[in-house]
């Protein structure tokens, strides 16, 4: 029963709040949704202990779902180490976000709807991570996509929110199309979608090929690349990343939930879950490594110049997801999931801390219009320091254990792609520390840059918001230390067991523990260097940032405009799609369908009626003439018919 409660309690809370919100009111919706995810979180702890630490993997049936010929997809809950880690992370972080949302959204007119969406989002993610087959996983995958659309566009009277929701939905459909093709490919190759069947048969299919475009292709590589396209969309990797920063148009609890423990981590989970297949497709792993490393670097460069407090943290998420992917790309899946878990805590902390700052600053989000507020909101200031220290990988915060392990694994892999990822990862670590402390210094230090009215109303958030911040801060402090040994340390083999598949004799995590000392020290050196540079530019010499931007206007505008990806996509895709749509609408729908259909028919009848109406002149000789013509026509028809 504990396992079922951990998955379905958020759904029950969403159902009650969504359908009976008016009856139970705002307070009732708060109680049922927070209670639902809270019970799920409490249940996840003994599940983690029993499954991950105790080694009691199990698959629990729910119902028969789809059966057609040889195709079979039953609804079941798969609990192994990977899913139990994800369930505990998702439910615990989501519970704190739900509680925070009660305070953050207390002025909103649609609180039951919002809380229902949050809980439904959590349930969809739990469906995804406990799936026992690819079809069920796709159900959860599409579930988080749909609810993210509802949450990002929650303030639907705001045009920018509606546009951001549509953008997120459309970009994810591009990735999901690749994922769907990957599922089709798996079924064609294995005649099954169940994970156990696929993984057992995978070694025998390692050299299978598919004939396409007049040549043979390695089937496993094609399948894994298609699956990765889906992961790229959901986890906002380079080329399919453009929806992520715009998702900040939603309420801050939405940003925290999407960017921390749910949705964007789904792609990393997918690659880890399908690791037995990826291990048989080294070329696909190389692509994962290159895309992940490039994303980590690319997003970090943009984060250095953004001015919206939430967008800076959003690009940080994009960058950190790149770390997780290139960890998986060098076969260090355990390190990637370890960073996923620690990142969930400190990234949720940073987003909710940013929400506390926005709340204190009367909804202002531009860090250039803040400053000098650390004494007015000391608790938010403290926890944001904790989150930033964890993000930058400073000892002995959570990110130090997970991010450093990824960089060491990338170097220890010994491959060209791994060395490429190590170099870009180090550069991203430097920029991560820089933009994190740029945010801190501009937001909290220096002279106040807000107007007098705003500064008079700066205040600390209520307990309903600060208590969840405290809980997340504990995770940002201790999650790395507590999880290091079992996730990537000496206890990892007993901990992960069969949940993650790796090639025998190719233990990248073990190699990571034996890299040269300078590799271990490098992340710390670059992180402290980034902090010192931010201190110099934004505390000591505050005139220099503007001078540097003025000296390199092209570079500054390039980064400020996010490498012009949106503009390029708009020119290549969006405008052409609109042109095609306009042509289809004007030419196809208006001219052909309407012209020869309802509009044409009604116009024809109107013209005929008008001409017939002309006969009704009121003159006797016109009527006599019409009668004579009619009689003549009738006689002609009758005689001609008789002659025939």
């Amino acid at each position: 029963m504990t396992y079922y409660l951990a998955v379905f309690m958020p759904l029950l809370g969403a159902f009650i709040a969504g359908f009976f919100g008016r009856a139970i009111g705002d307070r009732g919706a708060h109680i049922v949704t927070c209670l639902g995810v809270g019970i799920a979180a409490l249940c996840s702890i003994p599940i983690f202990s029993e499954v991950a630490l105790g080694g009691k993997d199990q698959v629990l049936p729910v119902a028969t779902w789809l059966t057609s010929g040889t195709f079979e997809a039953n609804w079941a809950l798969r609990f192994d180490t990977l899913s139990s880690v994800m369930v505990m992370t998702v439910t615990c972080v989501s519970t704190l976000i739900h509680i925070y949302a009660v305070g953050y959204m207390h002025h909103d007119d649609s609180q039951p709807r919002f809380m229902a969406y949050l809980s439904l989002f959590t349930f969809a993610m739990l469906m995804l991570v406990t799936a026992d087959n690819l079809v069920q996983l796709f159900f959860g995958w599409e579930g988080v996509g749909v609810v993210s659309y509802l949450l990002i566009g929650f303030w639907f009277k705001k045009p920018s929110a509606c546009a951001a929701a549509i953008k997120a939905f459309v970009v994810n459909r591009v990735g999901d199309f690749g994922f769907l093709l990957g599922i089709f490919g798996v079924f064609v190759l294995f005649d099954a979608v169940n994970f156990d069947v696929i993984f057992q048969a995978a070694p025998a299919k390692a050299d299978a090929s598919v004939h396409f475009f007049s040549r043979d292709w390695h089937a496993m590589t094609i399948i894994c690349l298609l699956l990765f396209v889906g992961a790229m969309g959901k986890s906002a990797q380079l080329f399919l990343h453009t929806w992520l920063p715009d998702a900040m148009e939603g309420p801050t609890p939405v940003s925290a939930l999407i960017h921390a423990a749910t949705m964007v981590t789904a792609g990393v989970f997918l690659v880890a879950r399908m690791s037995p297949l990826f291990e048989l497709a080294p070329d696909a792993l190389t692509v994962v490594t290159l895309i992940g490393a490039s994303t980590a670097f690319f997003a970090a460069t943009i984060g250095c110049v953004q001015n919206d407090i939430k967008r800076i943290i959003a690009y940080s998420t994009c960058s950190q997801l790149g770390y997780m992917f290139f960890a998986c790309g060098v076969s260090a899946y355990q390190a990637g999931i370890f960073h996923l878990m620690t990142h969930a805590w400190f990234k949720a902390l940073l987003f909710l801390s940013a929400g506390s700052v926005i709340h204190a600053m009367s909804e202002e989000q531009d860090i250039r219009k803040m400053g000098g507020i650390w004494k007015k909101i000391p608790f938010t200031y403290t926890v944001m320091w904790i989150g930033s220290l964890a993000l930058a990988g400073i000892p002995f915060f959570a990110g130090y254990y997970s991010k450093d392990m990824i960089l060491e694994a990338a170097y220890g892999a010994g491959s060209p792609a791994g060395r490429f990822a190590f170099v870009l990862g180090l550069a991203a670590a430097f920029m991560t520390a820089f933009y994190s402390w740029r945010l801190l210094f501009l937001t909290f230090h220096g002279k106040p840059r807000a107007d007098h009215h705003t500064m008079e109303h700066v205040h600390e958030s209520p307990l309903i918001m600060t208590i969840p911040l405290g809980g997340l801060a504990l995770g940002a402090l201790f999650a790395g230390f507590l999880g290091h040994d079992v996730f990537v340390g000496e206890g990892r083999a007993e901990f992960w067991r069969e949940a993650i598949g790796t090639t025998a004799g190719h233990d990248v995590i073990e190699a990571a523990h034996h890299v040269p000392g300078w590799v271990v020290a490098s992340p710390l050196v670059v992180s402290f260097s980034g902090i010192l540079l931010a201190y110099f530019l934004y505390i000591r010499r505050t005139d220099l940032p503007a001078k540097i931007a003025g000296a390199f206007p092209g570079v500054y505008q390039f980064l400020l405009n996010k490498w012009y990806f949106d503009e390029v996509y708009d020119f290549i895709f969006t405008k052409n799609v609109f042109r095609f749509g306009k042509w289809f609408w004007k030419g196809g729908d208006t001219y052909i369908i309407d012209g020869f259909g309802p509009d044409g028919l009604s116009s024809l009848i109107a013209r005929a009626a008008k001409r017939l109406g002309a006969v009704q002149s009121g003159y006797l000789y016109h009527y006599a003439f019409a009668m004579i013509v009619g009689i003549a026509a009738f006689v002609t028809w009758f005689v001609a018919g008789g002659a025939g």
Side-chain angles (χ1 to χ4, degrees), residues 437-600:
W437 265 260
R438 172 178 176 265
L439 185 153
L440 283 172
F441 293 144
L442 287 177
T443 301
F444 295 102
H445 293 274
K447 296 180 180 179
R449 296 179 295 278
D451 58 73
H452 181 70
H453 175 75
T454 301
M455 291 303 297
E456 280 187 337
H457 290 83
V458 175
H459 60 284
E460 190 62 87
S461 298
L463 283 175
I464 194 69
M465 293 169 65
T466 54
I467 289 174
L469 291 178
L472 292 169
L474 291 175
L477 281 167
F478 300 114
F481 170 76
L482 294 175
H484 180 267
D485 182 65
V486 293
F487 276 82
V488 293
E490 293 181 359
R492 64 185 182 278
E494 184 179 349
F495 180 74
W496 290 106
R497 297 179 303 283
E498 303 299 323
I500 287 178
T502 55
T503 304
H506 182 58
D507 191 345
V508 176
I509 299 296
E510 183 63 29
H513 287 291
H514 298 90
V515 295
W518 69 267
V519 174
V520 178
S522 295
L524 293 179
V525 173
V526 298
S527 293
F528 281 117
S529 299
I531 294 171
L532 291 174
L533 179 61
Y535 175 79
F536 179 72
L537 292 178
Y538 296 100
I539 297 294
R540 304 294 298 177
R541 291 292 305 275
T542 55
D543 59 312
L544 280 180
K547 291 181 179 179
I548 295 171
F552 303 97
V555 175
Y556 178 71
Q557 289 298 321
F558 180 72
L559 298 179
L560 189 64
N561 287 283
K562 304 161 288 187
W563 290 32
Y564 292 103
F565 267 99
D566 283 311
E567 290 76 6
V568 171
Y569 285 176
D570 184 60
F571 177 76
I572 296 175
F573 299 112
T574 309
K575 288 182 178 178
N576 288 324
V577 167
F578 272 102
R579 288 193 190 102
F580 176 77
K582 187 176 181 180
W583 171 84
F584 184 81
W585 169 47
K586 290 290 187 182
D589 189 58
T590 304
Y591 180 74
I592 298 175
I593 298 174
D594 288 346
F596 290 93
D599 289 351

Side-chain angles (χ1 to χ4, degrees), residues 46-94:
I47 290 173
F48 177 80
S49 176
E50 185 175 320
V51 174
L53 301 179
K56 297 180 180 179
D57 298 356
Q58 47 192 305
V59 176
L60 305 174
V62 176
T64 300
W65 193 9
L66 299 173
T67 302
S68 178
T70 59
F71 178 80
E72 183 177 322
N74 292 322
W75 194 2
L77 304 180
R78 182 185 186 89
F79 282 95
D80 57 9
T81 299
L82 182 59
S83 57
S84 64
V85 168
M86 294 297 297
V87 168
M88 184 174 68
T89 303
V90 169
T91 54
C92 290
V93 173
S94 181

Side-chain angles (χ1 to χ4, degrees), residues 8 13 94 139 196 232 301 335 349 366 383 461 473 531 552 554 565 612:
F8 290 105
S94 181
F139 166 73
D196 286 335
M232 286 174 63
T301 62
L349 174 62
D366 192 333
V383 295
S461 298
I531 294 171
F552 303 97
F565 267 99
L612 289 172

Side-chain angles (χ1 to χ4, degrees), residues 85-95 97 121-122 125-126 129 144 254-266 269 317 340-341 343-345 347-348 351 472:
V85 168
M86 294 297 297
V87 168
M88 184 174 68
T89 303
V90 169
T91 54
C92 290
V93 173
S94 181
T95 298
I97 293 173
F121 193 82
T122 303
M125 189 65 187
L126 292 172
V129 300
V144 294
V254 174
S255 305
L257 195 59
I258 289 177
H259 287 243
T262 56
M263 189 160 168
V264 295
T265 63
F269 170 82
T317 298
L340 184 156
M341 185 272 291
H343 175 265
W345 291 97
K347 187 52 59 69
F351 266 116
L472 292 169

Side-chain angles (χ1 to χ4, degrees), residues 5-14 29-43 91 94-95 98 119 122 126:
L5 289 175
V7 175
F8 290 105
M9 282 304 296
L11 177 63
L12 179 61
H30 297 157
I31 292 172
V32 296
T33 52
C34 291
L35 196 61
V37 293
I39 292 173
L42 290 175
C43 291
T91 54
S94 181
T95 298
H98 273 69
S119 288
T122 303
L126 292 172

